[in-house]
């Protein structure tokens, strides 16, 4: 067992999840990477070192979670840290979305947390620990043509607070990171869906007062803090990692 216990990371094959997994391994956790793409998970696990493990399955599929996660917990130990990072952006105004698109957005960004938590939470209760949910600046303010994503991330922030209250008696802290424009494959897909992808990317970089888009490593630093003893009195709290985006009054 690694010095700080075992960290389970969903959506770990790329972007924020991959960056966070690498950081948590450096912090001294044994990292268990969860996601759908086995090849990319294997690459990410290799970056995390020899102690890292991975499992490829669909975290939105209750049967797949049921068939995989309990055995992982038995094999690698109960979680001391959990990062719920599985995420997707499905673009469209509410009236433009098909029922399948709406449901898929909710399944990936929200229901996956429920499905994983059903197994990870009871395993964490005896010893306590820390959970971080990846929310968004969209948890606070909306973007046009992004209704399902905004709705799902608003729910993630509300769920963070509810879980924090339920976890406090068990020594489980629950917080959220709220990234702004972080250059990941998911965000690139959003840019690519726009009429002017390069203009959309340039606008995102210019939107933050710090004058750039963030990196997965920027978010991983905030996640590392929330899992650390330095955050021992922090729970139910969102931390914006947005380069100052939400501090600016548009004008």
């Amino acid at each position: 067992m690694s010095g700080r216990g075992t960290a389970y990371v969903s959506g770990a094959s790329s972007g924020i999840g991959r960056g966070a997994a690498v950081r948590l391994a450096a912090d001294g956790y044994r990292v268990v990477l969860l996601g759908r793409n086995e090849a990319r998970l294997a690459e990410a696990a290799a970056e995390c070192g020899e102690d890292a493990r991975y499992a490829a399955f669909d975290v939105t599929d209750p049967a797949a979670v049921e068939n995989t996660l309990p055995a992982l917990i038995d094999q690698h130990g109960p979680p001391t840290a959990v990062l719920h990072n599985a995420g997707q952006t499905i673009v469209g105004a509410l009236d433009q979305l098909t029922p399948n698109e709406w449901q898929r957005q909710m399944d990936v960004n929200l229901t996956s947390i429920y499905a994983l938590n059903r197994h990870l939470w009871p395993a964490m209760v005896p010893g306590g620990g820390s959970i971080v949910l990846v929310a968004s600046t969209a948890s606070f303010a909306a973007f046009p043509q992004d209704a399902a994503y905004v709705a799902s991330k608003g729910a993630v922030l509300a769920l963070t607070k509810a879980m924090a209250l339920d976890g406090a008696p068990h020594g489980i802290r629950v917080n959220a990171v709220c990234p702004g424009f972080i250059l990941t494959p998911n965000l690139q897909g959003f840019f690519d869906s726009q009429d002017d992808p390069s203009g959309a990317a340039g606008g995102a970089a210019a939107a933050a007062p710090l004058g750039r888009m963030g990196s997965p490593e920027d978010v991983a630093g905030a996640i590392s803090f929330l899992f650390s003893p330095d955050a021992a009195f922090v729970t139910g709290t969102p931390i914006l990692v947005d380069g100052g985006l939400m501090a600016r009054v548009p004008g």
Side-chain angles (χ1 to χ4, degrees), residues 10-69:
S10 70
S13 64
S14 66
I16 291 171
R18 184 168 182 160
V22 172
R23 174 62 184 266
L24 294 175
D27 287 344
Y29 289 96
R30 165 186 282 178
V31 182
V32 181
L33 298 91
L34 313 176
R36 289 180 296 169
N37 190 309
E38 185 166 7
R40 292 194 313 208
L41 281 173
E43 292 173 358
E47 290 185 50
C48 295
E50 295 181 357
D51 206 26
R53 301 292 183 268
Y54 66 91
F57 63 100
D58 186 349
V59 297
T60 71
D61 181 347
V65 175
E66 185 75 35
N67 292 334
T68 306
L69 195 51

Coordinates of all heavy atoms in Angstrom, one line a residue, residues 10-69:
S10 N -12.0 8.5 -11.9 CA -12.8 8.2 -13.1 C -12.5 9.2 -14.2 O -12.0 10.3 -13.9 CB -14.3 8.2 -12.8 OG -14.7 9.5 -12.5
G11 N -12.7 8.8 -15.4 CA -12.4 9.6 -16.5 C -10.9 9.9 -16.6 O -10.4 11.0 -16.9
A12 N -10.1 8.8 -16.3 CA -8.7 9.0 -16.1 C -7.8 8.8 -17.3 O -6.6 8.9 -17.2 CB -8.2 8.0 -15.0
S13 N -8.4 8.5 -18.5 CA -7.6 8.2 -19.6 C -7.0 9.4 -20.3 O -6.1 9.3 -21.1 CB -8.4 7.4 -20.6 OG -9.5 8.1 -21.1
S14 N -7.6 10.6 -20.1 CA -7.1 11.8 -20.7 C -7.5 13.1 -20.0 O -8.2 13.0 -19.0 CB -7.7 11.9 -22.2 OG -9.1 12.1 -22.1
G15 N -7.0 14.2 -20.4 CA -7.4 15.5 -19.8 C -7.2 15.6 -18.3 O -6.1 15.3 -17.8
I16 N -8.1 16.2 -17.7 CA -8.0 16.5 -16.2 C -7.8 15.2 -15.4 O -7.0 15.2 -14.5 CB -9.2 17.3 -15.7 CG1 -9.2 18.7 -16.4 CG2 -9.2 17.4 -14.2 CD1 -10.5 19.5 -16.1
G17 N -8.5 14.2 -15.8 CA -8.4 12.9 -15.0 C -7.0 12.3 -15.1 O -6.5 11.9 -14.1
R18 N -6.5 12.4 -16.3 CA -5.1 11.8 -16.5 C -4.1 12.7 -15.7 O -3.2 12.2 -15.0 CB -4.8 11.8 -17.9 CG -3.4 11.1 -18.3 CD -3.3 10.8 -19.7 NE -2.1 10.2 -20.1 CZ -1.9 9.5 -21.3 NH1 -2.9 9.4 -22.1 NH2 -0.8 8.9 -21.6
G19 N -4.2 14.0 -15.9 CA -3.3 14.9 -15.1 C -3.4 14.7 -13.6 O -2.4 14.7 -12.9
A20 N -4.6 14.6 -13.1 CA -4.8 14.4 -11.7 C -4.2 13.1 -11.2 O -3.6 13.0 -10.2 CB -6.3 14.5 -11.4
A21 N -4.4 12.0 -12.0 CA -3.9 10.7 -11.6 C -2.4 10.7 -11.5 O -1.8 10.2 -10.5 CB -4.3 9.6 -12.6
V22 N -1.7 11.4 -12.4 CA -0.3 11.5 -12.4 C 0.1 12.3 -11.1 O 1.1 11.9 -10.4 CB 0.3 12.1 -13.7 CG1 1.8 12.5 -13.5 CG2 0.0 11.2 -14.9
R23 N -0.5 13.4 -10.9 CA -0.2 14.2 -9.7 C -0.4 13.4 -8.4 O 0.4 13.4 -7.5 CB -1.1 15.4 -9.7 CG -0.9 16.3 -8.5 CD 0.5 16.8 -8.3 NE 0.7 17.6 -7.0 CZ 0.6 18.9 -7.0 NH1 0.3 19.6 -8.1 NH2 0.7 19.5 -5.8
L24 N -1.6 12.7 -8.3 CA -1.9 11.9 -7.1 C -0.8 10.8 -6.9 O -0.5 10.5 -5.7 CB -3.3 11.4 -7.1 CG -4.4 12.4 -7.1 CD1 -5.7 11.8 -7.3 CD2 -4.3 13.2 -5.8
A25 N -0.4 10.2 -7.9 CA 0.7 9.2 -7.8 C 2.0 9.8 -7.3 O 2.6 9.2 -6.4 CB 0.9 8.5 -9.1
A26 N 2.3 11.0 -7.7 CA 3.5 11.7 -7.2 C 3.3 12.1 -5.8 O 4.3 12.2 -5.0 CB 3.7 12.9 -8.1
D27 N 2.0 12.3 -5.4 CA 1.7 12.7 -4.0 C 1.8 11.5 -3.0 O 1.8 11.7 -1.8 CB 0.3 13.3 -3.9 CG 0.2 14.7 -4.4 OD1 1.3 15.3 -4.7 OD2 -0.9 15.2 -4.6
G28 N 1.9 10.3 -3.6 CA 2.1 9.1 -2.7 C 0.9 8.2 -2.7 O 0.9 7.3 -1.9
Y29 N -0.1 8.4 -3.5 CA -1.2 7.4 -3.6 C -0.9 6.3 -4.5 O -0.2 6.4 -5.6 CB -2.4 8.2 -4.1 CG -3.0 9.2 -3.2 CD1 -2.7 10.5 -3.3 CD2 -3.9 8.8 -2.2 CE1 -3.3 11.5 -2.4 CE2 -4.5 9.7 -1.3 CZ -4.2 11.0 -1.4 OH -4.7 12.0 -0.6
R30 N -1.5 5.1 -4.2 CA -1.7 4.1 -5.2 C -2.9 4.5 -6.0 O -4.0 4.7 -5.5 CB -1.9 2.7 -4.6 CG -2.4 1.7 -5.7 CD -2.8 0.4 -5.0 NE -1.6 -0.4 -4.8 CZ -1.6 -1.6 -4.2 NH1 -2.8 -2.1 -3.8 NH2 -0.5 -2.2 -4.0
V31 N -2.8 4.7 -7.3 CA -3.9 5.2 -8.1 C -4.5 4.1 -8.9 O -3.8 3.3 -9.6 CB -3.4 6.3 -9.1 CG1 -4.5 6.9 -9.9 CG2 -2.7 7.4 -8.3
V32 N -5.8 4.0 -8.9 CA -6.6 3.1 -9.7 C -7.4 4.0 -10.7 O -8.2 4.8 -10.4 CB -7.6 2.3 -8.8 CG1 -8.4 1.3 -9.7 CG2 -6.8 1.5 -7.8
L33 N -7.0 3.8 -12.0 CA -7.6 4.6 -13.0 C -8.8 3.9 -13.7 O -8.7 2.8 -14.1 CB -6.5 4.9 -14.1 CG -5.3 5.7 -13.7 CD1 -4.2 4.7 -13.2 CD2 -4.8 6.6 -14.8
L34 N -9.9 4.6 -13.8 CA -11.1 4.1 -14.4 C -11.5 4.9 -15.6 O -11.4 6.1 -15.7 CB -12.2 4.2 -13.3 CG -11.9 3.7 -11.9 CD1 -13.2 4.0 -11.0 CD2 -11.6 2.3 -11.9
G35 N -12.0 4.2 -16.6 CA -12.4 4.8 -17.9 C -12.8 3.7 -18.9 O -12.8 2.5 -18.6
R36 N -13.1 4.2 -20.1 CA -13.6 3.2 -21.1 C -12.5 2.8 -22.1 O -12.6 1.7 -22.7 CB -14.7 3.9 -21.9 CG -16.0 4.0 -21.1 CD -17.1 4.7 -22.0 NE -16.8 6.0 -22.4 CZ -17.4 6.7 -23.3 NH1 -18.4 6.2 -23.9 NH2 -17.0 8.0 -23.6
N37 N -11.5 3.6 -22.3 CA -10.5 3.3 -23.3 C -9.3 2.6 -22.7 O -8.5 3.3 -22.1 CB -10.1 4.6 -24.0 CG -9.2 4.4 -25.3 OD1 -8.2 3.7 -25.2 ND2 -9.6 5.0 -26.4
E38 N -9.2 1.3 -22.9 CA -8.2 0.5 -22.3 C -6.8 1.0 -22.7 O -5.9 1.0 -21.8 CB -8.4 -0.9 -22.5 CG -7.4 -1.8 -21.8 CD -7.8 -3.3 -21.7 OE1 -8.8 -3.6 -22.4 OE2 -7.2 -4.1 -21.0
A39 N -6.6 1.2 -24.0 CA -5.2 1.6 -24.4 C -4.8 2.9 -23.8 O -3.6 3.0 -23.3 CB -5.2 1.7 -25.9
R40 N -5.6 3.9 -23.8 CA -5.3 5.2 -23.2 C -5.1 5.1 -21.6 O -4.3 5.7 -21.0 CB -6.3 6.3 -23.5 CG -6.2 6.6 -25.0 CD -7.0 7.9 -25.3 NE -8.3 8.0 -24.7 CZ -9.3 8.7 -25.2 NH1 -9.1 9.4 -26.4 NH2 -10.4 8.8 -24.6
L41 N -5.9 4.2 -21.0 CA -5.8 4.0 -19.6 C -4.4 3.4 -19.3 O -3.8 3.8 -18.3 CB -6.9 3.1 -19.0 CG -8.2 3.7 -18.8 CD1 -9.3 2.6 -18.4 CD2 -8.2 4.8 -17.7
A42 N -4.0 2.4 -20.1 CA -2.7 1.8 -19.9 C -1.6 2.8 -20.0 O -0.6 2.8 -19.2 CB -2.5 0.7 -20.9
E43 N -1.7 3.7 -21.0 CA -0.7 4.8 -21.1 C -0.6 5.7 -19.9 O 0.4 6.1 -19.4 CB -0.9 5.6 -22.4 CG -0.8 4.8 -23.7 CD -1.2 5.6 -24.9 OE1 -1.7 6.8 -24.7 OE2 -1.1 5.1 -26.0
A44 N -1.8 6.1 -19.4 CA -1.9 7.0 -18.3 C -1.4 6.3 -17.0 O -0.7 6.9 -16.2 CB -3.4 7.4 -18.1
A45 N -1.7 5.0 -16.9 CA -1.2 4.3 -15.7 C 0.3 4.2 -15.7 O 1.0 4.2 -14.7 CB -1.8 2.9 -15.7
A46 N 0.9 4.0 -16.9 CA 2.3 3.9 -17.0 C 3.0 5.2 -16.6 O 4.1 5.2 -16.0 CB 2.7 3.6 -18.5
E47 N 2.3 6.4 -16.8 CA 2.8 7.6 -16.4 C 2.8 7.7 -14.8 O 3.5 8.5 -14.2 CB 2.0 8.8 -17.0 CG 2.2 9.0 -18.4 CD 1.5 10.3 -18.9 OE1 1.6 11.3 -18.3 OE2 0.7 10.2 -19.9
C48 N 1.9 7.0 -14.2 CA 1.7 7.1 -12.8 C 2.6 6.2 -12.0 O 2.7 6.2 -10.8 CB 0.2 6.7 -12.4 SG -1.0 7.8 -13.0
G49 N 3.4 5.3 -12.7 CA 4.3 4.5 -12.0 C 3.9 3.0 -11.8 O 2.8 2.7 -12.1
E50 N 4.8 2.2 -11.3 CA 4.6 0.8 -11.2 C 3.4 0.4 -10.3 O 2.8 -0.7 -10.5 CB 5.8 0.1 -10.8 CG 7.0 0.2 -11.8 CD 8.2 -0.5 -11.3 OE1 8.2 -1.1 -10.1 OE2 9.2 -0.6 -12.0
D51 N 3.1 1.2 -9.4 CA 2.0 0.9 -8.4 C 0.6 1.2 -8.9 O -0.3 0.8 -8.3 CB 2.3 1.7 -7.1 CG 1.7 1.0 -5.9 OD1 1.6 -0.2 -5.9 OD2 1.4 1.7 -4.9
A52 N 0.5 1.9 -10.0 CA -0.8 2.2 -10.5 C -1.5 1.0 -11.2 O -0.8 0.1 -11.7 CB -0.7 3.3 -11.6
R53 N -2.8 1.0 -11.1 CA -3.6 0.0 -11.8 C -4.8 0.7 -12.6 O -5.1 1.8 -12.3 CB -4.2 -0.9 -10.7 CG -3.2 -1.7 -9.9 CD -2.4 -2.7 -10.7 NE -1.5 -3.4 -9.9 CZ -0.2 -3.1 -9.7 NH1 0.3 -2.0 -10.2 NH2 0.6 -3.8 -9.0
Y54 N -5.4 -0.1 -13.5 CA -6.5 0.5 -14.2 C -7.5 -0.5 -14.6 O -7.2 -1.7 -14.5 CB -5.9 1.2 -15.5 CG -5.4 0.2 -16.5 CD1 -6.2 -0.4 -17.5 CD2 -4.0 -0.1 -16.5 CE1 -5.6 -1.2 -18.4 CE2 -3.5 -1.0 -17.4 CZ -4.3 -1.6 -18.4 OH -3.7 -2.4 -19.3
A55 N -8.7 -0.1 -14.9 CA -9.8 -1.0 -15.3 C -10.6 -0.2 -16.3 O -11.1 0.9 -16.1 CB -10.6 -1.4 -14.1
A56 N -10.9 -0.9 -17.4 CA -11.6 -0.3 -18.5 C -13.1 -0.8 -18.5 O -13.3 -2.0 -18.6 CB -11.0 -0.6 -19.9
F57 N -14.0 0.1 -18.2 CA -15.4 -0.2 -18.3 C -16.2 1.1 -18.3 O -15.7 2.2 -18.1 CB -15.9 -1.0 -17.0 CG -15.7 -0.3 -15.7 CD1 -16.8 0.3 -15.1 CD2 -14.5 -0.3 -15.1 CE1 -16.6 0.9 -13.8 CE2 -14.3 0.4 -13.8 CZ -15.4 1.0 -13.2
D58 N -17.5 1.0 -18.7 CA -18.4 2.2 -18.8 C -18.9 2.5 -17.4 O -19.8 1.8 -16.9 CB -19.5 1.9 -19.8 CG -20.3 3.1 -20.1 OD1 -20.2 4.1 -19.4 OD2 -21.1 3.0 -21.1
V59 N -18.5 3.7 -16.9 CA -18.9 4.0 -15.6 C -20.4 4.5 -15.5 O -20.9 4.7 -14.5 CB -18.0 5.2 -15.0 CG1 -16.6 4.7 -14.8 CG2 -18.1 6.4 -15.8
T60 N -21.0 4.6 -16.7 CA -22.5 5.0 -16.7 C -23.3 3.7 -16.8 O -24.6 3.8 -16.7 CB -22.8 5.8 -18.0 OG1 -22.7 5.0 -19.2 CG2 -21.9 7.0 -18.1
D61 N -22.7 2.5 -16.9 CA -23.5 1.3 -17.0 C -23.5 0.6 -15.6 O -22.5 0.1 -15.2 CB -22.8 0.4 -18.0 CG -23.5 -0.9 -18.2 OD1 -24.4 -1.3 -17.4 OD2 -23.2 -1.6 -19.2
P62 N -24.7 0.6 -14.9 CA -24.7 0.0 -13.6 C -24.2 -1.4 -13.5 O -23.6 -1.8 -12.6 CB -26.2 0.1 -13.2 CG -26.7 1.3 -14.0 CD -26.0 1.2 -15.3
A63 N -24.5 -2.2 -14.6 CA -24.1 -3.6 -14.6 C -22.6 -3.7 -14.7 O -21.9 -4.5 -14.0 CB -24.8 -4.4 -15.7
A64 N -22.0 -2.9 -15.5 CA -20.5 -2.9 -15.7 C -19.8 -2.4 -14.4 O -18.8 -3.0 -14.0 CB -20.1 -2.0 -16.8
V65 N -20.4 -1.4 -13.7 CA -19.9 -1.0 -12.4 C -20.0 -2.1 -11.4 O -19.0 -2.4 -10.7 CB -20.6 0.3 -11.9 CG1 -20.1 0.7 -10.5 CG2 -20.4 1.5 -12.9
E66 N -21.1 -2.7 -11.3 CA -21.4 -3.8 -10.4 C -20.4 -5.0 -10.6 O -20.0 -5.6 -9.6 CB -22.8 -4.3 -10.5 CG -23.3 -5.3 -9.5 CD -23.5 -4.7 -8.1 OE1 -24.0 -3.5 -8.0 OE2 -23.2 -5.4 -7.1
N67 N -20.1 -5.3 -11.9 CA -19.3 -6.4 -12.2 C -17.8 -6.1 -12.0 O -17.0 -7.1 -12.0 CB -19.6 -6.9 -13.6 CG -21.0 -7.4 -13.8 OD1 -21.5 -8.0 -12.8 ND2 -21.5 -7.4 -15.0
T68 N -17.4 -4.9 -11.9 CA -16.0 -4.5 -11.9 C -15.5 -3.9 -10.6 O -14.5 -4.3 -10.0 CB -15.7 -3.5 -13.0 OG1 -16.2 -4.1 -14.3 CG2 -14.2 -3.2 -13.1
L69 N -16.3 -2.9 -10.1 CA -15.7 -2.1 -9.0 C -15.6 -2.8 -7.7 O -14.5 -2.6 -7.0 CB -16.6 -0.8 -8.8 CG -16.0 0.3 -8.0 CD1 -14.7 0.7 -8.5 CD2 -17.0 1.5 -8.0

